[in-house]
Amino acid sequence: MSKTALIALSIAAVVAIASWVLFLPGFFYVHDFLHAARIAEMARGLTDFHLPVRWSEAFGYGYGMPLFLFYAPLPFFVGALSWLSGVSIITSVKMIFLLSTIMAALGSYQVARKITGVMPALVAMAAFTLAPYRGVNLVVRGAVSESWAIATYPWILLGILLIMRRERWGVAILVSALTTLLLSHNISTLLFIPLTILIIALWMIWKKYKGEVKELISTGTQFLLSYTLSIGLAAFYIFPAFLEKHFTVVEQTILDGYFEYSLHFVSLRQFVTENWGYGGSTFGPADDMSFFLGYGQIFGLIVLCISAGVYFWKQGLRAVFGSIFEWLSKEKHFFVSIFLCLTLVTLFMAQYKSAFLWNVLPLLEYIQFPWRWLGATSIFLALSLAVGLELLQERKKRFFSLVILLIIAVTSWRYFVPDQQLSATDEFYFTDQVRISEELSPVLPDYISTAFSQPDKDISQYQSLAFDDDQLTPVGSLVHSSVDLKTYQLELATAAMVVAPIAYFPGWSATIDAGEQVELVVDDNGLIGAYLPAGSHTLTFAFNHTPIRQISDIITLISVILSIWLLVKASRRRGNWVSR
């Protein structure tokens, strides 16, 4: 068997261990079981050419809410394309989970292989792909968005490394990975991007210390271009999500009560004890879910620390500091130091001793659960192991690589076993709009408008308008319905205010007859309506752009055009996106 075939087989085996449950019939119970509903709502928006998809009709108790204006859309966009192509909804959900594992495995191998040999790179791939926290996200939490975000981490680091070395396609990979992160999970973006900027800053200081400053300006320009272009490509989502969140109840639902970050710190012993479970996170060390680092990962970390200790001991105590500076002058030594330090930093941020930072850095509270730092820990620990193994003598490197791979493979399969396989998947995974509005709206109320208060009488069932009185009497008929456009034909004996079963949110507008703009009004329940004169009228409500959304969409369009131009330019000269 060729070396390439052996590598491919090893990666496929690890992916199979992490994903075998996705190939069983049906699905399994997880904490977040709304994936099918999100995919269905995204698909309805795409079918109605509501682009970019922002409004959901079914959520918000059937009165609608701007779900994808705030909930990162990319994984569900991919799932919606699958469902619209004829694939079943359950298979579509499985597919987006499987894609995250494949991305994680390929990315972690590629970035490690740029620094190490084959065996250490396979260790990094297995340690990251089979990290217990990834198992928690799959079979316990069902956190598809976070799974996608974590899968981008190694690709982001790969793009950074390629730019540092001035190799081809570094900017292209970094932009693609950063954009995927930005469109997959807001919280992971907030968590991981500062770490990447820290890596770049330390690398530049290291290069300057070595006297290699000639190419720093060019390299810095590539990093600036990559981050700016990524933000531009994701602008249609990230800017409205940040600047319009105050129109929703999101901060009341994700920052208080159970989601208060101080309730979810991890104790040190939880990192090294398995304590596997399928419940939730609670205050103190008695959580019903695991924050274990993994047996193979811990063993590899011990080997790494002993090897480093032996090396510096041999240098003699008086020469330790000098030995450290000399040791750090080599690239592999620099990277293993950075990855190991970031492993410790992310572990520190997950446990209660970092509370003083959470209390003074306001954006940290949006992470909600400090243990989310374990996603970053998983990739930095995996890369620490790989580069540390690469520094060993050849025989020791081969031996310990095989031992760590074996430990990970034998012990990690249990972290990808679900609690219970569902006999009837439609109990949780369904696409019917009525069921979504009735059963799932209370589960996901985060993005309901602050103006909305569910009426005493449910008028979302009517395919019509209603008078704004105590009876909410239906009037008129619905002649056109799409996610972002509702047109009614009605006959009024007297002038009256009429109300639609649509929750108010900035962007809704009203026109009558030949497109004449009329003032949009909001009733006491937060539903949209308009005052109309007596007579026969055609009334249309449309969900349009606000200035923020319009500017953001333009930025994205410009960024797409610029990206295409840079790709064409790069392909013609077979180089990077900017001059090498």
Side-chain angles (χ1 to χ4, degrees):
M1 183 180 294
S2 68
K3 185 176 181 180
T4 302
L6 186 60
I7 293 170
L9 183 62
S10 300
I11 295 174
V14 168
V15 170
I17 294 173
S19 308
W20 66 271
V21 68
L22 299 175
F23 294 92
L24 297 179
F27 207 67
F28 43 89
Y29 177 77
V30 291
H31 297 174
D32 184 356
F33 49 83
L34 275 67
H35 308 315
R38 295 189 188 102
I39 288 173
E41 289 300 282
M42 172 65 76
R44 277 185 267 271
L46 293 174
T47 302
D48 288 342
F49 295 97
H50 170 41
L51 302 173
V53 178
R54 286 172 169 143
W55 191 260
S56 162
E57 287 186 298
F59 281 103
Y61 302 93
Y63 298 94
M65 73 179 186
L67 176 61
F68 294 111
L69 188 64
F70 302 100
Y71 204 96
L74 184 58
F76 305 103
F77 173 79
V78 174
L81 292 181
S82 171
W83 189 49
L84 290 172
S85 69
V87 177
S88 72
I89 193 65
I90 292 298
T91 303
S92 297
V93 172
K94 290 179 177 181
M95 185 196 71
I96 56 178
F97 272 113
L98 178 61
L99 282 175
S100 72
T101 297
I102 294 173
M103 285 193 295
L106 293 177
S108 54
Y109 176 78
Q110 289 294 334
V111 68
R113 186 67 181 88
K114 281 292 177 181
I115 308 175
T116 72
V118 171
M119 287 299 292
L122 289 176
V123 170
M125 182 272 300
F128 179 61
T129 308
L130 298 178
Y133 184 69
R134 289 197 69 257
V136 167
N137 279 338
L138 172 62
V139 299
V140 180
R141 299 178 61 217
V144 67
S145 293
E146 190 170 344
S147 295
W148 269 58
I150 291 173
T152 69
Y153 291 175
W155 290 102
I156 292 171
L157 297 175
L158 175 61
I160 290 172
L161 182 60
L162 291 176
I163 292 175
M164 287 175 174
R165 293 181 172 181
R166 301 187 63 77
E167 296 185 23
R168 293 179 59 192
W169 305 114
V171 175
I173 291 174
L174 182 55
V175 168
S176 300
L178 282 172
T179 304
T180 301
L181 173 62
L182 288 164
L183 296 177
S184 295
H185 197 231
N186 318 33
I187 295 172
S188 296
T189 298
L190 178 65
L191 181 155
F192 195 71
I193 284 186
L195 298 177
T196 66
I197 295 173
L198 177 61
I199 292 172
I200 294 169
L202 291 173
W203 177 81
M204 288 187 167
I205 293 171
W206 177 68
K207 294 291 280 188
K208 186 175 181 180
Y209 171 77
K210 292 182 65 180
E212 300 174 9
V213 297
K214 184 178 180 181
E215 298 177 348
L216 281 183
I217 294 178
S218 174
T219 306
T221 301
Q222 291 188 44
F223 282 126
L224 182 62
L225 171 67
S226 300
Y227 281 79
T228 302
L229 197 54
S230 302
I231 292 171
L233 289 170
F236 75 94
Y237 165 69
I238 59 175
F239 291 152
F242 180 74
L243 297 173
E244 296 188 332
K245 68 180 185 297
H246 62 282
F247 293 117
T248 73
V249 299
V250 64
E251 293 193 352
Q252 302 170 29
T253 59
I254 70 167
L255 298 180
D256 297 327
Y258 176 78
F259 299 103
E260 164 62 38
Y261 66 84
S262 63
L263 302 177
H264 302 283
F265 284 114
V266 183
S267 67
L268 287 174
R269 69 181 183 186
Q270 288 180 285
F271 296 137
V272 294
T273 54
E274 190 175 57
N275 190 37
W276 191 257
Y278 295 90
S281 170
T282 60
F283 180 75
D287 299 272
D288 292 324
M289 58 187 289
S290 179
F291 307 113
F292 185 45
L293 296 179
Y295 289 107
Q297 290 86 339
I298 292 173
F299 175 75
L301 188 59
I302 292 172
V303 171
L304 176 61
C305 291
I306 292 175
S307 299
V310 170
Y311 173 84
F312 288 114
W313 178 262
K314 288 181 178 179
Q315 306 306 308
L317 294 179
R318 293 182 179 180
V320 164
F321 291 106
S323 298
I324 289 176
F325 285 115
E326 180 183 352
W327 192 77
L328 284 173
S329 65
K330 298 178 181 178
E331 186 185 60
K332 287 186 175 65
H333 298 170
F334 170 78
F335 280 120
V336 73
S337 302
I338 291 296
F339 295 147
L340 186 57
C341 286
L342 288 176
T343 299
L344 298 176
V345 167
T346 53
L347 286 174
F348 173 74
M349 292 302 297
Q351 62 109 32
Y352 70 93
K353 290 184 179 179
S354 66
F356 71 96
L357 291 175
W358 291 78
N359 294 335
V360 299
L361 298 176
L363 288 179
L364 279 181
E365 64 180 346
Y366 287 97
I367 295 175
Q368 299 174 305
F369 306 114
W371 40 259
R372 276 188 163 131
W373 287 92
L374 288 177
T377 300
S378 298
I379 184 60
F380 291 128
L381 176 55
L383 293 175
S384 297
L385 299 183
V387 186
L389 288 168
E390 182 67 18
L391 300 178
L392 298 178
Q393 296 176 349
E394 188 62 31
R395 289 177 60 184
K396 291 181 179 179
K397 176 172 70 175
R398 191 176 306 160
F399 171 77
F400 282 114
S401 294
L402 287 173
V403 169
I404 294 171
L405 279 171
L406 183 62
I407 294 173
I408 292 174
V410 170
T411 62
S412 297
W413 64 270
R414 73 187 78 182
Y415 310 131
F416 298 87
V417 179
D419 185 28
Q420 53 179 309
Q421 198 76 10
L422 299 174
S423 56
T425 56
D426 62 354
E427 179 182 357
F428 294 100
Y429 302 94
F430 49 82
T431 61
D432 179 73
Q433 282 190 296
V434 174
R435 288 192 66 188
I436 292 172
S437 66
E438 294 177 352
E439 299 178 34
L440 300 184
S441 289
V443 182
L444 184 61
D446 300 353
Y447 310 114
I448 290 175
S449 168
T450 53
F452 177 70
S453 174
Q454 191 173 1
D456 294 334
K457 181 178 180 181
D458 182 15
I459 65 169
S460 64
Q461 61 184 300
Y462 297 127
Q463 296 296 307
S464 60
L465 295 170
F467 283 112
D468 187 20
D469 57 24
D470 292 338
Q471 300 302 315
L472 292 174
T473 308
V475 60
S477 59
L478 184 68
V479 295
H480 174 80
S481 177
S482 60
V483 169
D484 57 338
L485 190 70
K486 304 289 182 184
T487 300
Y488 300 89
Q489 190 68 44
L490 59 154
E491 188 77 34
L492 296 176
T494 61
M497 173 183 169
V498 291
V499 191
I502 302 171
Y504 169 74
F505 195 78
W508 280 106
S509 64
T511 57
I512 62 170
D513 302 331
E516 179 186 352
Q517 191 85 25
V518 294
E519 182 182 1
L520 186 80
V521 295
V522 183
D523 79 345
D524 293 340
N525 295 307
L527 304 180
I528 62 173
Y531 286 102
L532 299 182
S536 178
H537 298 288
T538 299
L539 176 60
T540 299
F541 292 103
F543 189 63
N544 301 312
H545 296 297
T546 59
I548 290 172
R549 292 173 218 159
Q550 193 165 27
I551 293 171
S552 300
D553 291 348
I554 292 172
I555 293 173
T556 293
L557 180 60
I558 293 172
S559 300
V560 169
I561 295 171
L562 179 59
S563 298
I564 294 172
W565 178 75
L566 288 170
L567 277 173
V568 171
K569 184 178 178 181
S571 63
R572 285 178 177 174
R573 69 165 182 264
R574 297 182 180 180
N576 211 327
W577 281 23
V578 296
S579 299
R580 298 181 64 183

XYZ file of all heavy atoms in Angstrom, residues 301 338-348 376-377 379-382 384:
147
model
N 0.444 14.933 26.120
C 0.869 16.158 26.788
C 1.919 15.851 27.854
O 2.895 16.597 28.018
C -0.345 16.846 27.411
C -0.131 18.242 27.986
C 0.369 19.199 26.915
C -1.428 18.766 28.592
N 4.078 28.323 21.101
C 2.845 29.086 20.930
C 1.626 28.191 21.137
O 0.686 28.551 21.865
C 2.801 29.724 19.525
C 3.849 30.831 19.420
C 1.405 30.282 19.230
C 3.612 32.000 20.337
N 1.622 27.018 20.507
C 0.462 26.126 20.615
C 0.273 25.637 22.051
O -0.871 25.547 22.536
C 0.618 24.928 19.669
C 0.620 25.299 18.211
C 1.379 24.578 17.295
C -0.132 26.367 17.746
C 1.382 24.913 15.943
C -0.135 26.716 16.394
C 0.621 25.986 15.493
N 1.366 25.339 22.715
C 1.255 24.874 24.100
C 0.767 25.993 25.011
O -0.087 25.775 25.877
C 2.611 24.344 24.572
C 2.625 23.681 25.956
C 1.632 22.536 26.022
C 4.029 23.185 26.290
N 1.284 27.199 24.808
C 0.833 28.331 25.630
C -0.648 28.622 25.408
O -1.386 28.891 26.361
C 1.662 29.571 25.316
S 3.341 29.528 25.981
N -1.098 28.551 24.167
C -2.512 28.798 23.882
C -3.394 27.674 24.409
O -4.557 27.905 24.764
C -2.716 28.991 22.377
C -2.178 30.322 21.831
C -2.322 30.386 20.322
C -2.903 31.506 22.475
N -2.858 26.472 24.464
C -3.594 25.380 25.118
C -3.853 25.734 26.575
O -4.975 25.598 27.077
C -2.797 24.063 25.032
O -2.613 23.701 23.661
C -3.545 22.939 25.751
N -2.820 26.214 27.250
C -2.954 26.575 28.662
C -3.847 27.801 28.843
O -4.651 27.866 29.778
C -1.570 26.835 29.255
C -0.606 25.641 29.247
C 0.766 26.051 29.774
C -1.170 24.478 30.055
N -3.728 28.778 27.945
C -4.551 29.988 28.028
C -6.031 29.645 27.879
O -6.873 30.129 28.651
C -4.133 31.013 26.954
C -5.173 32.118 26.819
C -2.774 31.615 27.315
N -6.365 28.819 26.889
C -7.774 28.474 26.672
C -8.331 27.615 27.807
O -9.503 27.753 28.170
C -7.954 27.765 25.315
O -7.043 26.650 25.216
C -7.687 28.725 24.161
N -7.496 26.749 28.371
C -7.941 25.989 29.545
C -8.182 26.921 30.722
O -9.155 26.758 31.475
C -6.892 24.935 29.919
C -6.790 23.707 29.005
C -5.619 22.835 29.415
C -8.087 22.899 29.023
N -7.309 27.900 30.877
C -7.466 28.881 31.957
C -8.771 29.662 31.783
O -9.494 29.899 32.760
C -6.267 29.830 31.967
C -6.415 30.975 32.926
C -6.294 30.773 34.291
C -6.679 32.260 32.461
C -6.437 31.836 35.188
C -6.824 33.323 33.341
C -6.698 33.107 34.711
N -11.212 25.586 21.058
C -9.878 26.092 20.718
C -8.796 25.255 21.379
O -7.748 24.976 20.778
C -9.755 27.552 21.148
N -9.050 24.828 22.615
C -8.083 23.966 23.300
C -7.792 22.723 22.472
O -6.640 22.288 22.351
C -8.618 23.537 24.678
O -8.861 24.684 25.480
C -7.627 22.628 25.385
N -7.787 22.116 19.224
C -6.869 22.241 18.084
C -5.468 22.610 18.552
O -4.468 22.072 18.032
C -7.396 23.256 17.040
C -6.478 23.294 15.818
C -7.552 24.648 17.633
C -6.338 21.982 15.087
N -5.340 23.465 19.541
C -3.997 23.845 19.997
C -3.296 22.683 20.700
O -2.086 22.498 20.540
C -4.078 25.066 20.915
C -4.461 26.330 20.207
C -5.503 27.119 20.675
C -3.797 26.723 19.061
C -5.863 28.283 20.017
C -4.150 27.887 18.394
C -5.183 28.677 18.871
N -4.052 21.889 21.445
C -3.461 20.718 22.089
C -3.018 19.702 21.041
O -1.927 19.120 21.135
C -4.469 20.093 23.058
C -4.041 18.801 23.758
C -2.717 18.979 24.483
C -5.129 18.352 24.736
N -3.852 19.476 20.032
C -3.512 18.523 18.971
C -2.239 18.948 18.241
O -1.362 18.124 17.960
C -4.677 18.410 17.992
N 0.096 20.973 19.436
C 1.211 20.880 20.390
C 1.791 19.476 20.392
O 3.024 19.290 20.381
C 0.730 21.243 21.802
O 0.282 22.568 21.877
